[in-house]
Amino acid sequence: MGRMKVVLLVLGTILSISWEEEEGFMTLASANTIVTGTVFCDQCQDGERGFLDYGLSGAKVAVVCRGTDGKEMAYGEDETNWFGSYSVYFDGSPDLSGCYARVVGGPAGCGAAAGPAQGLTLLFRMFGMAMYVVEPLLSEPQVPAGFCPNAPSLPSPTPTPALPVPPPTPPLPLFEVSACPYGKWLMPQYQCYWRAVNPDTRVAIAFGPVAAGRYGVELTLWEALHGRGDLYRTLLREATASLLNSYNTLNFLYPTLSVFDLMNRALVGSPQDALTVALRFRMANSGAFGVETVGCNFTPCRS
């Protein structure tokens, strides 16, 4: 999701909350600050994110600030997940406007050198919470990859028998109508269909501050898909499946912004509102699009 969409969502959420609801939300929201971003392996060592660069798992990222004496100090650290994403959490709402994030360690294969540090950009601050985002960080291998223009020349290898080419990952059905229930999104053979977010993405980041007030800031989307036994956990489970469906195909019944809008209205409304929205999401995820029924067009992912 683009930064402007997130800002518009946050502003829309503020305008839709009454003073009574706002007061209740403020008692629910815990004071936390999040710094989030992604590290990429700069395979060609060209200093910028390219088409062939990939999210780097196992990179260590530090949020660095300057103390009163002007010296740098690591203020918080995190290690990237298998999608290359990281999230550094701080208690309270410290002012991080003068801080920056940088790679301080990388895995074998793409941890020989780190790209430049990047400053933090405040995305929102409200109700004792704040979120900063960081432009992509880079880490470099020891030498450029073989397909890069600046790759070192290598001696001609001894000819070897050609290996069969594995079948490609199935194309993402961006323009096909598809609807998949939450159970499908939990299956490991379909994880190549996750778009824009990943299993480790926090619910608070994916759905915004109203959801953070209800579910906290630690719950992940993967955990959300396991929700049951409680009205609001069921609502979150079905909303998460609808969010993933909206990212996966442009023709899902509820576009991404509609999923956000319905979810926020359900969370600030009555339990009956929450139940109604949960049922609407469940029907959409099962493919009940009015008079027609839509199937889930997943095929197993290929490595």
Side-chain angles (χ1 to χ4, degrees), residues 25 192 221:
F25 173 71
C192 61
L221 293 182

Side-chain angles (χ1 to χ4, degrees), residues 39-43 54 56-57 59 103 105-114 138-142:
V39 178
F40 290 88
C41 179
D42 182 10
Q43 296 199 81
Y54 58 89
L56 183 62
S57 173
V103 177
C110 197
L138 302 176
S139 186
E140 297 180 353
Q142 187 70 37

Side-chain angles (χ1 to χ4, degrees), residues 9-176:
L9 171 62
V10 172
L11 292 176
T13 301
I14 297 172
L15 295 175
S16 66
I17 299 177
S18 66
W19 287 109
E20 292 81 6
E21 292 164 343
E22 180 178 316
E23 183 178 4
F25 173 71
M26 289 177 68
T27 63
L28 290 171
S30 57
N32 281 278
T33 296
I34 305 171
V35 176
T36 185
T38 305
V39 178
F40 290 88
C41 179
D42 182 10
Q43 296 199 81
C44 293
Q45 298 180 343
D46 55 7
E48 59 184 22
R49 178 188 169 189
F51 177 73
L52 296 173
D53 296 338
Y54 58 89
L56 183 62
S57 173
K60 191 174 183 180
V61 177
V63 175
V64 179
C65 303
R66 294 188 181 275
T68 55
D69 57 359
K71 294 183 178 180
E72 295 182 350
M73 52 180 277
Y75 201 50
E77 295 183 346
D78 189 36
E79 187 172 293
T80 57
N81 60 23
W82 56 305
F83 288 96
S85 300
Y86 63 90
S87 297
V88 184
Y89 291 84
F90 302 94
D91 292 330
S93 299
D95 181 9
L96 303 180
S97 57
C99 303
Y100 53 91
R102 68 181 181 190
V103 177
V104 295
C110 197
Q118 298 286 353
L120 312 186
T121 300
L122 179 65
L123 190 60
F124 70 80
R125 184 188 298 278
M126 63 182 68
F127 308 135
M129 298 178 61
M131 180 183 294
Y132 292 83
V133 293
V134 184
E135 293 294 326
L137 297 172
L138 302 176
S139 186
E140 297 180 353
Q142 187 70 37
V143 295
F147 53 78
C148 298
N150 56 339
S153 299
L154 298 176
S156 300
T158 303
T160 56
L163 297 176
V165 178
T169 299
L172 297 176
L174 278 175
F175 299 101
E176 298 178 24

Side-chain angles (χ1 to χ4, degrees), residues 181-183 185-186 194 197-207 211-212 214-244 263 267 278 281-282 285:
Y182 73 91
W185 290 104
L186 286 170
W194 286 65
V197 292
N198 61 63
D200 292 330
T201 299
R202 301 313 202 264
V203 168
I205 295 175
F207 285 101
R214 168 67 65 172
Y215 303 107
V217 298
E218 295 295 334
L219 192 70
T220 66
L221 293 182
W222 186 257
E223 294 167 331
L225 287 172
H226 288 82
R228 56 169 51 90
D230 172 82
L231 170 60
Y232 287 95
R233 290 300 299 269
T234 300
L235 168 66
L236 179 60
R237 181 191 71 202
E238 298 301 331
T240 300
S242 288
L243 181 67
L244 294 171
M263 182 60 167
L267 291 176
F281 282 147
R282 184 175 180 83
N285 296 332

